[in-house]
Amino acid sequence: MRLLIISLLICLFTIPVYSFQYECKTLSTECSPKGVIISPDGKSACVMNLESCSVTVYNTDTRKLIYTIYFPQTYAEGWDYKTESPVDSVAQKPVEAAFTEKGRYLWISLHNDSSVAVFDMEGCRFDYLVYKDTVKARLKYADGSVCDKSYLRVSVGKTPKVISVSPDERRVAVSNWHGKSVSVIDSRSFKVINTIPVSEVPRGMVFNKNGSLLYVAIMYGNYIETVDTFLWKRTGFIYGVGAAPRDLIIDKEGKYIYCSANQGNNIARVDTSKNKVLDALYVGVGPRTLEFSPDEKTIYVCCYRSNRLYVVDVKTFKVIDILPTGLDPVGVAISPSGDIWVTDQGDSTLSVFQHKTCAKNLSGRKNI
């Protein structure tokens, strides 16, 4: 009994408190939202909805739906990650996204289609006479009006996930989960120019500041692999990041990479000058996507199993806040104004946090 009381007291005084600095608005979206990305002009948030084969686009100021892109649905073999076995599914399931050309082109990985969809967001359509592999999607506006919008289908490896763009935006890298490879696409010709095999299942990726190296999180290998982007060959490994490294971000100066370890329940900080892990920080259970605040003083970490968004101070590399989200938070993106958009995959919602003074406080206690 004494040990039980001591344990309860330890939990009471060590569980972090939810901040008064944020307020959260919950938005409904389509089924199973995964990745979320803010347009370069900061005006819209694009959400990839895996199971509804759609992309919902919101106004970041009003937080209202602008339109939804619905992909055509065709049969394909999918993958059950719980049983680690193939299942009957559909091809056009969007996962992650990236922008090029200052937001003109939106690139979206399609989980079971071994492809990336490229949309021209300026309203132009890809001419079938020039680009043979064009596909029609359906665009439905919030007022109910509907129109067709063509996209370009770029074939990549099996089960594409993360899309990373080089600093000069000339190259687009796509991590292929079951392909155990990275596809490299010329962003102007929309053609695959190289495919780099990696040692195990890849996911998160970032280029270094000058684009000479591509860092690839090897989720089933518990390390990061480096790729020379001149030769497009693997050059080394970075160990010690934690179990099942999933997502990578790099600061604007290119000095540090931060890596989420999905099974290690930590994030790691990597010194890019030495390509070595400096330190690791334990966060919630199942850290997935992480992202910087606009001033890069803070990192936000989605912790899938904890249903929490962890807030990390970059300078001290310590957890300074924990925010309650919806069920199974997986994706996060930050608007230029600092609003935090989180996808809650388990209940098909978005948790949008804003810096205010009336945020939810579940414990009613002050920070300890």
Side-chain angles (χ1 to χ4, degrees):
M1 179 61 71
R2 186 177 180 182
L3 289 175
L4 178 60
I5 294 173
I6 293 173
S7 298
L8 289 173
L9 287 172
I10 290 173
C11 290
L12 179 65
F13 289 104
T14 58
I15 294 174
V17 181
Y18 305 116
S19 174
F20 288 97
Q21 299 178 35
Y22 300 86
E23 68 174 6
C24 179
K25 182 175 181 179
T26 301
L27 309 178
S28 61
T29 187
E30 302 231 343
C31 187
S32 191
K34 287 278 286 183
V36 56
I37 186 171
I38 305 296
S39 60
D41 63 8
K43 294 181 179 180
S44 59
C46 303
V47 180
M48 311 321 122
N49 304 295
L50 187 76
E51 296 301 330
S52 59
C53 301
S54 67
V55 178
T56 40
V57 181
Y58 298 84
N59 182 304
T60 52
D61 288 332
T62 65
R63 303 180 187 176
K64 292 183 178 180
L65 179 68
I66 305 172
Y67 59 81
T68 303
I69 300 171
Y70 292 97
F71 288 96
Q73 297 184 26
T74 57
Y75 170 80
E77 183 180 87
W79 188 255
D80 187 325
Y81 288 90
K82 293 181 180 178
T83 63
E84 292 289 323
S85 60
V87 293
D88 292 337
S89 187
V90 295
Q92 298 82 4
K93 290 189 172 186
V95 186
E96 303 285 359
F99 281 104
T100 59
E101 298 291 331
K102 297 181 179 179
R104 175 174 180 177
Y105 295 112
L106 174 63
W107 302 66
I108 302 170
S109 56
L110 298 180
H111 190 276
N112 299 330
D113 194 45
S114 298
S115 75
V116 170
V118 186
F119 285 94
D120 189 331
M121 303 302 283
E122 292 187 356
C124 302
R125 299 185 179 186
F126 285 99
D127 190 341
Y128 176 76
L129 296 176
V130 178
Y131 302 101
K132 301 298 181 183
D133 205 356
T134 57
V135 182
K136 282 186 179 180
R138 184 164 59 96
L139 194 152
K140 183 177 181 180
Y141 287 92
D143 62 7
S145 59
V146 177
C147 66
D148 289 335
K149 186 172 181 62
S150 64
Y151 67 88
L152 181 64
R153 180 183 179 277
V154 182
S155 296
V156 291
K158 189 174 182 180
T159 320
K161 296 273 189 171
V162 169
I163 302 172
S164 183
V165 180
S166 63
D168 62 5
E169 296 195 0
R170 293 295 304 275
R171 301 290 182 262
V172 176
V174 182
S175 61
N176 304 307
W177 181 279
H178 286 111
K180 295 183 181 180
S181 65
V182 174
S183 298
V184 183
I185 305 168
D186 185 301
S187 65
R188 296 181 181 180
S189 68
F190 305 104
K191 293 181 179 180
V192 175
I193 57 173
N194 218 321
T195 301
I196 302 100
V198 292
S199 56
E200 251 298 344
V201 170
R203 204 181 193 286
M205 299 181 297
V206 288
F207 286 87
N208 66 351
K209 186 178 180 180
N210 63 14
S212 62
L213 279 181
L214 177 66
Y215 293 84
V216 184
I218 305 299
M219 196 158 179
Y220 282 14
N222 301 336
Y223 50 81
I224 296 172
E225 213 162 325
T226 56
V227 175
D228 183 309
T229 60
F230 180 75
L231 301 173
W232 291 115
K233 291 184 178 181
R234 292 180 289 160
T235 57
F237 303 89
I238 302 172
Y239 296 100
V241 292
R246 185 184 186 276
D247 194 29
L248 302 177
I249 56 173
I250 188 169
D251 61 29
K252 294 174 184 176
E253 295 300 318
K255 292 181 178 180
Y256 301 108
I257 287 173
Y258 297 85
C259 172
S260 62
N262 184 52
Q263 294 178 7
N265 302 327
N266 69 275
I267 63 172
R269 177 161 49 185
V270 177
D271 183 343
T272 59
S273 67
K274 301 177 181 178
N275 281 343
K276 290 185 178 181
V277 173
L278 291 179
D279 41 20
L281 172 68
Y282 285 98
V283 288
V285 182
R288 299 292 179 93
T289 308
L290 63 165
E291 188 56 274
F292 285 112
S293 60
D295 60 9
E296 293 195 343
K297 293 181 179 180
T298 308
I299 295 174
Y300 299 95
V301 187
C302 286
C303 292
Y304 189 82
R305 301 298 179 192
S306 298
N307 297 326
R308 297 290 184 266
L309 182 72
Y310 274 64
V311 185
V312 177
D313 180 82
V314 171
K315 186 176 182 179
T316 63
F317 203 50
K318 292 182 178 180
V319 174
I320 57 173
D321 221 331
I322 303 176
L323 308 178
T325 63
L327 186 64
D328 304 333
V330 62
V332 59
I334 318 298
S335 72
S337 64
D339 289 355
I340 308 155
W341 290 69
V342 177
T343 55
D344 306 314
Q345 187 177 11
D347 52 16
S348 297
T349 61
L350 305 173
S351 296
V352 184
F353 295 93
Q354 189 175 46
H355 288 269
K356 291 291 182 181
T357 57
C358 52
K360 188 182 296 184
N361 179 7
L362 298 187
S363 66
R365 293 180 290 115
K366 295 182 179 180
N367 283 309
I368 297 172

